[in-house]
Amino acid sequence: MVDLKGQYVRLKDEIDAAIHEVLDSARFIRGPVVSQFENALTECTKAKYAIGVANGTDALQISYMALDIGPGDEIITPSFTFIATAEAASLLGATPVFADIDPKTFCLDPDSVEQCITPKTKAIVPVHLFGQPAEMDSLTKLASKYNLPIIEDNAQAIGATYNGTSTGSMGTMACCSFFPSKNLGAYGDGGAILTSDPELETRSRMITNHGGRHKYLNETIGVNSRLDALQAAILTVKLKHLESFTLARRSAASYYHSLFETIDEITRPYETPEGFHVYHQYVIRTKKRDELADALTNAKIPYGIYYPVPLHQQPVFQGDITPNITLPETEKACEEVLALPMHTELTHAHQDRVAEIVIKHAKTLIYA
């Protein structure tokens, strides 16, 4: 699904030099290399502040903590996403309330979000899923109407824009993941919090450092979550190439689009007029998803199913945490989606082979 080795080989000289610079300095925690990356990240995303943390899940939890989200509070988020978005709220005693998605974009449906708002709602948490920006105009209007902060889950969409504005800079706060397979991936875990609010920046930094601004002086309950200097050095190098990474992914997506253009049995990814999609995943829909998965397996072609079980049906969220709800678009997506190989080193030959199996499967549907 992702060729991490191929990308490393292409950037080897730059990355090795950056790693050795950190090793020679022996400054592995915080320090100038981490600050350099944080500054570069603000330039990329147009947020005023960036705080490096240990991973994307920590970024979510610390953002919730910075906004005082805790027991008795609710956050509204999609059920069609990775569990971290909801899990981080549950760890603080808050309740994730799941809204449905737009079937074209897989992102939060603003109408469904409004139906979920209660006096207990403390934040709206849209996920820019698969590299597609959520419908931020409507969500921002809702947030303003009900005086709610927006926390963007930007784990899969760094480099994306909505009406020309970078994802990660439109909400009150935003969270990034630098897991190796992400569009901007470290060589280990890593994440970041973005905000343009100086008070939230100060509070978030304190929380990441055991709740203190100064050593041995703790002002609030915090955690220990740091982006280490080696990962920051690697990310600084890769951030310089993010635009070319994005163009490569969009080019690969365009070629997939052309291969599947006349195949009605396959629904290709949709890109909104307002959005600039960065294709963290290339996700198609088909009525016979499991049969296609078997065909790809038999052909030794990798694929991913993101996500087979929606969060509102996960065992951990059953019972008192989440009442019995039905989210028809979410549930239908979980039955139909399949992600094809997508990465910066993808060649047309690779894609031709993938498309051969997908199209062959689609033809069997025609004559079934």
Side-chain angles (χ1 to χ4, degrees):
M1 289 292 287
V2 181
D3 184 5
L4 298 177
K5 179 67 177 292
Q7 189 186 79
Y8 165 66
V9 169
R10 182 155 57 89
L11 304 177
K12 184 179 186 335
D13 290 346
E14 292 178 77
I15 287 175
D16 287 0
I19 289 172
H20 282 289
E21 186 177 334
V22 174
L23 295 177
D24 288 341
S25 75
R27 299 188 69 173
F28 304 119
I29 302 297
R30 303 194 187 278
V33 174
V34 175
S35 296
Q36 180 185 0
F37 171 67
E38 290 176 342
N39 291 335
L41 191 59
T42 63
E43 292 179 16
C44 169
T45 61
K46 309 307 179 187
K48 288 185 179 179
Y49 308 104
I51 304 104
V53 295
N55 54 67
T57 305
D58 279 4
L60 287 159
Q61 180 178 331
I62 293 162
S63 296
Y64 297 156
M65 293 172 72
L67 289 167
D68 291 321
I69 294 172
D73 296 329
E74 297 175 348
I75 61 129
I76 299 173
T77 197
S79 176
F80 189 65
T81 188
F82 185 60
I83 192 171
T85 317
E87 177 185 45
S90 294
L91 283 168
L92 300 174
T95 300
V97 175
F98 300 115
D100 212 350
I101 57 169
D102 181 303
K104 287 185 176 181
T105 66
F106 301 118
C107 296
L108 272 179
D109 174 5
D111 290 338
S112 181
V113 170
E114 186 162 25
Q115 293 171 16
C116 294
I117 293 173
T118 74
K120 295 181 179 180
T121 304
K122 200 70 177 287
I124 299 170
V125 189
V127 180
H128 303 303
L129 199 67
F130 305 144
Q132 170 90 269
E135 215 288 82
M136 292 301 294
D137 278 352
S138 295
L139 292 173
T140 300
K141 288 176 183 176
L142 273 181
S144 178
K145 178 179 177 181
Y146 292 97
N147 194 28
L148 295 169
I150 287 180
I151 305 169
E152 298 173 71
D153 186 331
N154 199 36
Q156 299 184 11
I158 190 164
T161 62
Y162 181 84
N163 281 331
T165 302
S166 297
T167 57
S169 68
M170 291 177 278
T172 309
M173 304 184 79
C175 304
C176 300
S177 168
F178 305 126
F179 188 78
S181 64
K182 295 296 194 290
N183 291 33
L184 180 65
Y187 291 166
D189 277 319
I193 297 164
L194 303 172
T195 186
S196 293
D197 185 318
E199 292 184 11
L200 289 174
E201 188 262 350
T202 298
R203 184 163 171 76
S204 296
R205 284 199 186 277
M206 282 200 302
I207 292 170
T208 67
N209 190 37
H210 299 285
R213 284 176 278 193
H214 306 288
K215 197 171 185 178
Y216 306 130
L217 185 62
N218 310 94
E219 301 172 50
T220 187
I221 294 297
V223 299
N224 177 21
S225 185
R226 299 179 290 225
L227 177 67
D228 72 68
L230 284 168
Q231 299 303 337
I234 292 163
L235 289 165
T236 300
V237 170
K238 294 182 77 173
L239 187 56
K240 296 174 185 176
H241 296 272
L242 180 61
E243 186 175 354
S244 68
F245 293 165
T246 299
L247 292 175
R249 287 175 176 272
R250 286 181 59 84
S251 177
S254 180
Y255 190 61
Y256 271 140
H257 286 346
S258 69
L259 293 171
F260 302 134
E261 185 174 9
T262 61
I263 311 301
D264 293 338
E265 292 70 28
I266 299 296
T267 301
R268 300 173 295 173
Y270 174 75
E271 184 168 1
T272 68
E274 302 85 4
F276 179 80
H277 200 315
V278 294
Y279 292 96
H280 173 60
Q281 301 290 352
Y282 187 90
V283 178
I284 61 173
R285 297 182 73 150
T286 175
K287 300 291 186 184
K288 299 288 185 179
R289 189 269 312 285
D290 293 343
E291 289 87 339
L292 173 57
D294 289 342
L296 290 168
T297 297
N298 292 336
K300 295 183 171 56
I301 293 174
Y303 65 89
I305 296 176
Y306 312 111
Y307 299 88
V309 181
L311 295 186
H312 70 282
Q313 293 180 352
Q314 292 284 352
V316 69
F317 291 127
Q318 296 301 296
D320 293 338
I321 295 178
T322 301
N324 293 325
I325 59 172
T326 299
L327 301 175
E329 296 298 346
T330 294
E331 291 161 22
K332 187 177 180 183
C334 287
E335 294 173 355
E336 296 181 356
V337 294
L338 184 141
L340 300 177
M342 170 55 72
H343 53 81
T344 58
E345 314 307 301
L346 207 57
T347 67
H348 284 184
H350 292 145
Q351 293 180 271
D352 287 340
R353 175 61 179 148
V354 173
E356 177 187 356
I357 303 304
V358 174
I359 293 170
K360 182 178 179 181
H361 163 76
K363 289 181 178 177
T364 65
L365 295 181
I366 297 171
Y367 299 110

